[in-house]
Each structure stands twice: as C-alpha cells, then as structure tokens.
Amino acid sequence: MANKYRTHTCGELRGADAGKRVRLSGWVESLRRHGGVAFASLRDRYGVTQLRLDTSKPLWNVFANLTRESVVCVSGLVQARPSDARNPNMKTGEIEVAVEEVEVLSAVSSSLPFEIKEAKSVEPAVRFKYRYLEMREGSLIETLVFRHRLFSKIREFLSSEGFVEVETPCLTRSTPEGARDYLVPSRVHAGKFYALPQSPQLFKQLLMVGGLDKYFQIARCFRDEDLRADRQPEFTQLDVEMAFVEEEDVYDLVEHLICFVVEQTVGERLKRPFKRISYEDALLRYGSDAPDIRFGMEISDLSDIAAKSKSEILLSVLEKKGVVRGLCVNAALSRKELSLAEEVVKSCGAKGILHFHIEADGVRSPFAKFFDSVALDALKNRFDAKAGDTILVVADEERPAQTALGYLRKHLAQRLNIPRNPRLSFLWVVDWKLVELDEEGVLTNLHHPFTSPHPDDLERLESEPLSVRARAYDIVLNGSELGGGSIRIHNPDIQMRILKLLGLDEKTARDRFGFLLDALKSGAPPHGGIALGLDRFTAFLLGFDSITDVIAFPKTRQATCPLTDSPNEVTEEQLRDLHISIVKEKNSLS
Ligand code: ASP
C-alpha cells in the first residue's frame, strides 16, 4: 500500500515495472562507485533493490557521506538493467531504480558491532545483545514469520474443533511442575510473593470445573532450572484441556492437530496413528523415556549370559542386584571411538564399558576369556551380530546403566552418522508409573500431582505406590520430549490421598491446594489434557538445534538478557517498597 514512505517494498519490483516512478524506504546495505555512476543496495524485510546514482548530481553527496545501515527514503524511476547486468539470483535482479530524490530518515553515526551479513557467525551473547541487527540479516525474520504461521495454523485447527483460547494469570501461586518458581514480591502485602506460572495447569482444570470443556492457550511458562540448549527460563507452550475425555480422545486430537499443522507449514504428510511405546519398554530398549526410534541399536538385557561368565566384575554387579545390558554397533570401533564412548558412559555415572569385537573367526575382547564359547555365541546371537560389529556392555546399578546406554546409543548414532529417517518421527510414551523414588529416596511424581492414578491400582496407592500406574502420556519428537499430559484427578478424596502420598500433611495440602480441592468438591467433570513445547516444535520443523534460534529475544545459558542487561539491580527505594533487603553473598555471581 502506497504511503509517504513507500509505493513498493524493496523486494517487489520486476522487469514489467520499468518506467514507473516509485518511492522506496530501507537500509543502505552497500555502496559501490564505478566512475560516473554508483550503485547502492537498499534493503528491507522483503528484499534488496539496486539503486543507480549519478555521481555528477548533488544527491550523490548525500549518499557519499552516508554510513552503511542508515535508513533512507528514495524516489526515482524504475529502469530495466542492461542484459549483462541482470542478476537472476535476486528477486529484483531485472531492474534498478535511478534515484532522483533522497531523504535521510536515520543516519548511522558510529560503526556497528558486526557486519550484518556475518551476523550468524557472531557469538550468541553479542548476537542476543544486538538482536535487532542480527534480524536485518534476514533469516531470523524468516523464522519468526514461520513461527507466526505455525501458531496461526494451531489456532485455526483448534478453533475449528470448537476450542476456546483463554488467558490465565501470570501473577499467581506456585504450580508444581518440578522446577523452581520465579517469585514476584508483593508491594501491598509485605513479605508475600506471587509465583510466575510453571504452567497454567490448575487454571485449566478450573476452567473444566466451570464447564468450558475445550480450552487451549498459547501460554508463556516460567521455570527456574538449569539451562541447556533446549531450555529457556521462559518458554511458550500449547496448553490444552478437555472435559469428558479419556486418553484416546487426547491422542486423537493431538495427532490430527500435528498432522494438520505440519502439512500446512512444511508440507510434510505424517502417518497416523503415531507409534506408541510403554515407559518401561522405552527405558529398557532405548535407555530413555524420550527415545529416538528412527534407528535400531536397541539395548538388550545380558544378565543371563553374564551370570554364566567367570568375570568377577559382572558376577558381583549381578549379586548386588545390578544389571548387565548392552548394544551392538554395526562398525568396528577404533580405540579413539571406544575411549569417547567410555567418556560418555562415565559422564552418566556408570563405571565403564566392556567391548567385544566380532570377527569372522571369533570374538576379540580383553573380556572374552571370562566366557566359554556357548556364552560368546549367545552374546552374538542376542544381537544377531556379524563380523565387523562391536558389542558394548555396561554392568552397573540399574539407573546409571540405563542412562549411560541411552546416551551411548544417541552418541554413537551421531558419531557414526547413522541415518535417522523419517525427518519427523512422533512417538507416544504411555503407561507411566505414578511415582518414583528420587535420588534422596523420596517419593516424587513423574508428571505432576494432579495426574490420575490408574483406577485398578488405587487400592495399592498407599501400600505399594511404586507399582501404581498413571494415566499419563508424553509425546516425543525425534528423541526429545515435545510434550506431556494426563487424565486428571477429578475426585477430591483421591487428590488429597495423592498429596499426602507426596509428603504433604492435610493442613499443608489445604493451604497450598485448597482452592483446587474445593473446586473438585463442587462437581468436577472427568478431564484431561496436554501441553506441547512450541519453541522446540518450531525448532524441529525448521531443523535447528537450539530453541534460541526460534525465539525473538532469547536469554543466554546463564539466564541473562544481554540486550536489556537483565536481571539487574534495583534502587533502594524499590526494595524498600517491596519490603526486601538484599543480603550480599560472598561468592555471588554479580
Ligand atoms: N501442565 C503440564 C506441563 O506443563 C502439561 C499437562 O499436564 O497438561 O508439562
């Protein structure tokens, strides 16, 4: 739409526009002088247009004194470029604009911290500080446009299914999702704090109690936890809840939603129904509750074979109720690869690896001498191993052994470039346990405390809690947890039993969750839902490794925002208002 600044964008003009008088606005990307003429590249979000400048005219002086990245508005005549000057790689490569007038809208006075074209190779802390400069390189804007399209398609699909988007509060009280809360001190109520939501969990359940049976929200969640490549202190999730549903209804909705948005955004057709695996099987066969099933290399239990060996290490692990498990790689691993593999295993808390090279005439391994030929054959047969393969074995307590083999499997697939197809592989992990013992031996929930136990296991809730199944599910994409959810508890007595099981006494349970318990007492429908991590989903669809690539203004791994320099100190007056005094710690980071 034409206005004071532009009749066209910098990506719009074509050969057929030759002869038109136009006005363009944008950033001056480059300036090249060739004798009596000069060329400037003018860039905006839509593309680049070549400007032709007559160096004998006064307006040339304006350009000659301009620093790159200044913002100008030019008027001029669109001309077809001479045939040898056409650039087929540029959308506007058939034309140039002979500039007749120029207005400098914003002149750059000092040099910029990096070249716009090299933005992608600048280290993250600097890129994040000057995110607006990185954006001018173009690819981040494309990503943000993609993200917007994805979110629009999600809204389109859910709206067409009768779902209603509802905003829930950000200043609230703790919603336990397993992380620390971000707290906001209250000025009005001395010594009291709001918590930023780790998720809208309790509010969406209250919406169900209120009768709104199909809810969703593209919601911001806040979790204070150790940061990794795929974590940010604040992130965006698609939060969904439905009343009068069971697990199959949630699977059905989510699968149709994902198929729709994937096809609409990246044009890929996914096969439904998505595969499913039980939590137990995932841990046993892949060493992970979010397995990548796009390649084999499955983990096998080898305890029976180890029991027949003469290896004291293996026998003593088994005696202490540990496990002996392994996997088989279709490659003869070099010394270097073996030592890297050993490092991976040790970083997971396991003690080490036993390796067996399969050769045409037998098995080569420092450990082969502890096995008779029947046991060695059994080992080969367990994996259907062939000459040239390597079997790697971990013997340890169950948890470190499981984790180590899971990581080892992923590590090897990456190191050995094992093909992982299809590009997008979704998997449901089902049949979760309700609770487990954490490292300190305390009972903790695997999802959150509002997840319904399996009704058939209710009588064992207090006597054998570790054997109780949960009505929970996770959805995994390419070996990463994309989301999770559950059928919820809608009976207040069962909710209280669970809170007690998790160590809350009746008073604390009421203090913290009285509003939920009261709501459940007021007539609550059976309900359930799910939440999907949208930063991760966007990153996967675009093939990025880090979610910071798909977030407009991300934080660093130290949870800082270099752009606004936050978190930052506040004034004494602000602290006084909030009834807070700061205790300086000796080793504090700032
Ligand atoms: N509130 C859960 C989460 O944020 C998702 C759910 O159970 O629906 O992970």
Side-chain angles (χ1 to χ4, degrees), residues 362-376:
V363 176
R364 186 166 54 82
S365 163
F367 311 97
K369 60 179 182 246
F370 299 119
F371 295 82
D372 62 22
S373 62
V374 178
L376 285 178

Side-chain angles (χ1 to χ4, degrees), residues 177 199 201 204 223 237 239 448 484-486 488 529-531:
E177 294 282 359
S199 82
Q201 183 61 37
K204 67 176 172 176
R223 297 185 191 176
Q237 73 180 24
D239 202 44
H448 49 59
S486 55
R488 324 299 181 186
I530 194 163

Side-chain angles (χ1 to χ4, degrees), residues 467-483:
S467 73
V468 172
R469 289 165 295 168
R471 297 185 69 184
Y473 32 81
D474 267 9
I475 186 160
V476 170
L477 169 55
N478 297 354
S480 272
E481 182 194 332
L482 179 66

Side-chain angles (χ1 to χ4, degrees), residues 11-51:
E12 203 175 339
L13 296 169
R14 301 285 181 272
D17 295 306
K20 285 188 186 156
R21 288 230 126 64
V22 297
R23 206 161 47 245
L24 305 179
S25 286
W27 286 259
V28 179
E29 189 175 78
S30 64
L31 196 60
R32 309 168 298 281
R33 187 172 179 172
H34 296 287
V37 285
F39 298 98
S41 297
L42 192 69
R43 180 193 65 232
D44 67 8
R45 179 190 144 188
Y46 307 93
V48 175
T49 299
Q50 177 163 297
L51 306 181

